[in-house]
């Protein structure tokens, strides 16, 4: 349907994160993420724990978050630098933004602001899941599910 509308009005769609160079933030695909434990009482501490895991695998995420993302993630214009992981409450210039209401209520979700507009949503989602759920805890998951093996996600 998008293509038909564009054809009708003579418009070209681009998913490039910075289709026009210049002093602006570009186009991202901010991704909200939560688990049940993040949305329950005490979830804010769970979110902060997730920040440590995400920071440890920052390079892996950046490499998979879309082509030409280096043109967008400059550290200017409400974007984080792709060279440094950061998070903060209501911080639109951080890699990960935690909404003010989440801090106030002590539970909720976080927003990964690093994915580019041309990202693959399956890759971004799987990386977030893999990093949060499996890194450092896969043996525990294996034990819980009765799996008699272990893997190393790094």
């Amino acid at each position: 349907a998008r293509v038909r509308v564009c054809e009708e009005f003579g418009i070209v769609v681009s998913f490039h994160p910075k289709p026009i160079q210049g002093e602006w933030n570009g186009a991202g695909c901010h991704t909200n993420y939560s688990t049940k434990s993040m949305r329950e009482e005490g979830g804010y501490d769970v979110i902060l724990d997730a920040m440590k895991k995400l920071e440890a695998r920052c390079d892996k995420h950046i490499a998979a978050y879309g082509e030409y993302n280096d043109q967008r993630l400059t550290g200017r214009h409400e974007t984080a630098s792709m060279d440094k992981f950061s998070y903060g409450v209501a911080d639109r210039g951080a890699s990960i933004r935690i909404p003010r209401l989440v801090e106030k209520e002590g539970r909720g979700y976080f927003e990964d602001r690093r994915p580019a507009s041309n990202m693959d949503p399956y890759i971004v989602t799987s990386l977030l899941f893999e990093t949060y759920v499996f890194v450092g805890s896969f043996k525990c998951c294996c034990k819980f599910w009765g799996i008699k093996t272990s893997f190393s996600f790094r």
Side-chain angles (χ1 to χ4, degrees):
R2 236 182 300 199
V3 174
R4 293 174 109 196
V5 172
C6 290
E7 287 174 350
E8 185 176 331
F9 291 98
I11 297 171
V12 176
V13 173
S14 172
F15 292 101
H16 192 289
K18 196 103 176 204
I20 300 170
Q21 297 303 310
E23 293 298 315
W24 68 295
N25 57 3
C29 190
H30 302 169
T31 305
N32 294 341
Y33 182 82
S34 70
T35 61
K36 185 177 180 187
S37 60
M38 291 176 188
R39 296 185 304 271
E40 292 176 338
E41 188 172 329
Y44 188 70
D45 291 333
V46 177
I47 291 170
L48 294 180
D49 180 56
M51 297 303 106
K52 295 174 197 164
K53 293 178 179 183
L54 287 165
E55 182 173 20
R57 299 185 81 209
C58 181
D59 292 341
K60 182 170 183 154
H61 283 249
I62 289 293
Y65 275 8
E67 294 181 298
Y68 310 109
N69 213 8
D70 59 314
Q71 296 175 19
R72 186 178 76 84
L73 295 180
T74 61
R76 299 189 339 252
H77 311 295
E78 291 189 334
T79 67
S81 169
M82 67 186 301
D83 300 322
K84 182 176 182 257
F85 180 83
S86 61
Y87 68 91
V89 174
D91 186 349
R92 296 173 54 88
S95 306
I96 307 286
R97 181 184 71 86
I98 301 169
R100 192 173 310 282
L101 188 61
V102 170
E103 180 188 46
K104 180 180 177 189
E105 292 184 352
R107 61 178 159 211
Y109 68 97
F110 62 83
E111 174 190 47
D112 192 341
R113 299 175 60 82
R114 300 170 298 170
S117 53
N118 60 3
M119 61 81 146
D120 180 329
Y122 297 101
I123 290 174
V124 170
T125 304
S126 65
L127 270 172
L128 286 168
F129 179 78
E130 175 186 297
T131 298
Y132 177 71
V133 174
F134 289 138
V135 170
S137 63
F138 194 74
K139 287 183 182 179
C140 177
C141 290
C142 289
K143 186 177 179 183
F144 177 78
W145 292 106
I147 300 169
K148 300 197 187 297
T149 188
S150 64
F151 295 89
S152 176
F153 290 95
R154 298 188 202 282

